[in-house]
Amino acid sequence: MEKSTISQAMLKVSELERIYRDKMYKMMDLENIIQEYILESDGSRYDCNEVVDFNREFELIIELGEEISQIKTKISKANNENYIETKTGRLSLQGALNKIKYLRGQVNNFEHILENVKSSKERKVDAAATSVYYKVKEPNFNKKDLKKYLEDRNEEILELEIALNKANNEILIDID
């Protein structure tokens, strides 16, 4: 049995997926799997292109797919069975991944709001001899409170990422 950390297993999956994509891309290019040759009337044959050994590549692609699937399943299992301690409590690695994804989306959306909501005061006059008024636009939330909330969420994300990174580099799984 080959033992590796979760991080090493993820790197291995990444490399296997790259090889898998390359091989699949090569197979999908029909030029690589169609043999073209010239057949003379005297029976002489001249190859016009170099083709991929379809059966060999097909088997390799199937094996790579299986290996990728097995390692990913073991990583998922480890992510569900192992826990990290955070300021907010104990979370499985998968729970931490889910929370990070949710928090990042939330932070991005609220940062967008914070950056694009502007206050303005525009002087208006509807007609001559009428009184001047102002059209005022203000956010209906406290920008300082939202900034503080975002800072806290970014800090929480960083804490979770550090804890996950540490766990991924310490937890061993069997990947054979």
Side-chain angles (χ1 to χ4, degrees), residues 154-171:
N154 281 323
E155 188 176 306
E156 185 177 0
I157 290 169
L158 182 60
E159 177 195 353
L160 288 168
E161 287 175 335
I162 289 169
L164 273 173
N165 193 31
K166 183 178 186 292
N168 284 339
N169 286 310
E170 292 175 354
I171 297 169

